Amino acid sequence: MKLLIDGLAMPESARRHNGRLWFCNWVEQQVVAIDAGGKAEYFDVPVEQLMGWSIEWTPDGRLLTTGDKLRRYEPDGSVTVLAEQHANEIVVDAHGNIYLDGADFDFSGGEAPKPGWIKLVTPDGAIREVAGEIEFPNGMVLTPDGRTLVIAESFAGRLTAFDVQPDGDLTNRRVYAENLGPDGICLDAEGAIWSQTGSEGVVRVADGGEILQRIDLPENRAPFALTLVDFDGPTLCILTSEWHMDDTIANNLARLRSGAHTGQIHTVPVAVPPAA
């Protein structure tokens, strides 16, 4: 495992785009792009919340951010609000359908949890809920054929799969894998998913729950997001921050918001490349 970059506030929402690793630097309100050599480019974004937002791209290459609203960043530098909808994670299909997830409670403020949802934003701007009763919705992946969506249900410790219908609806809800601690996940070319264990480790897991590979992290180093890139071969990027398992969630989040910048990104060579 190799350290790619450190000194980040809280790296999240890892993505592969145009040959670089992209991610959100929460608290600092930045989107960051970094190459295999560690050269980073920073972009300030107008997301009006410190944590709980993500990035993705439209099929024609325009950046999207979630958070307090769904925003699109135009080639001329302007920003378009696509939806007055708060959300956490995001995936986009080849037709421009945008899947958002979230929950209607104040997680960082310590409010009691409520089940969350997945909502679909169609290219014409319409929004509808396509799945509910999600136990803290987090990372999502779409298979390359666009026919299956898998979401991390963090509080349930499982990955849940849906069939994607031609109109974008989600059906045939089923368990992909259990006994995990999933957050930001990624899909590889063999259909396996890299996920968090719920402690200081990440695993490559197959549909049905078989663990194919495990990588352990140092103590008090939690992996919040994962993605696969091509950095001189298939490479798993692990976005981590300092996290004390014996402390409360509220105290850990407060330290990340106002304490020292402990965010790090580690890379590990792997055998299987990212999904196309």
Side-chain angles (χ1 to χ4, degrees):
M1 192 161 58
K2 176 184 176 182
L3 179 64
L4 181 65
I5 188 173
D6 63 3
L8 301 167
M10 187 178 181
E12 256 280 11
S13 185
R15 301 289 190 265
R16 170 178 57 102
H17 183 68
N18 287 346
R20 293 192 288 179
L21 165 67
W22 291 69
F23 62 93
C24 304
N25 192 23
W26 288 0
V27 181
E28 293 296 329
Q29 306 309 86
Q30 296 167 331
V31 172
V32 185
I34 186 168
D35 64 18
K39 181 181 179 181
E41 187 175 5
Y42 297 82
F43 307 91
D44 294 328
V45 292
V47 178
E48 296 179 10
Q49 61 188 58
L50 293 182
M51 297 179 173
W53 56 278
S54 301
I55 57 172
E56 192 53 272
W57 284 264
T58 62
D60 62 5
R62 287 177 287 180
L63 178 69
L64 300 168
T65 60
T66 65
D68 58 308
K69 300 174 184 177
L70 175 62
R71 295 178 173 89
R72 186 179 65 205
Y73 298 76
E74 310 297 354
D76 64 2
S78 63
V79 180
T80 301
V81 175
L82 296 181
E84 299 278 347
Q85 172 66 60
H86 74 89
N88 179 23
E89 276 281 2
I90 177 174
V91 290
V92 181
D93 73 10
H95 306 291
N97 290 310
I98 300 169
Y99 291 90
L100 306 173
D101 71 32
D104 299 321
F105 72 98
D106 184 5
F107 172 66
S108 61
E111 185 180 351
K114 298 176 183 176
W117 38 259
I118 303 173
K119 294 184 181 182
L120 173 65
V121 184
T122 54
D124 62 3
I127 304 177
R128 68 179 188 272
E129 184 172 312
V130 289
E133 298 299 316
I134 309 290
E135 297 300 322
F136 200 84
N138 229 313
M140 294 185 289
V141 294
L142 277 167
T143 54
D145 62 9
R147 297 176 62 181
T148 304
L149 182 147
V150 181
I151 185 169
E153 292 195 76
S154 295
F155 285 0
R158 67 174 170 252
L159 300 174
T160 299
F162 297 88
D163 291 341
V164 181
Q165 300 303 310
D167 65 356
D169 280 348
L170 301 180
T171 61
N172 189 26
R173 181 174 184 159
R174 59 197 182 277
V175 173
Y176 179 100
E178 295 183 288
N179 302 314
L180 301 168
D183 195 330
I185 58 176
C186 64
L187 181 72
D188 72 20
E190 294 182 353
I193 289 176
W194 282 96
S195 172
Q196 299 78 359
T197 63
S199 57
E200 292 125 343
V202 301
V203 292
R204 180 172 178 256
V205 60
D207 191 355
E210 180 185 0
I211 301 299
L212 305 172
Q213 187 176 347
R214 180 185 176 97
I215 299 170
D216 291 314
L217 298 175
E219 185 178 5
N220 295 331
R221 181 62 42 187
F224 286 95
L226 309 167
T227 201
L228 290 160
V229 298
D230 185 3
F231 282 172
D232 299 320
T235 303
L236 178 68
C237 297
I238 307 173
L239 281 59
T240 75
S241 292
E242 183 180 353
W243 191 270
H244 297 265
M245 295 296 177
D246 58 353
D247 205 349
T248 65
I249 291 175
N251 285 346
N252 274 299
L253 292 176
R255 184 178 61 255
L256 291 172
R257 282 194 299 267
S258 58
H261 286 188
T262 62
Q264 298 177 338
I265 298 178
H266 302 266
T267 60
V268 181
V270 295
V272 182

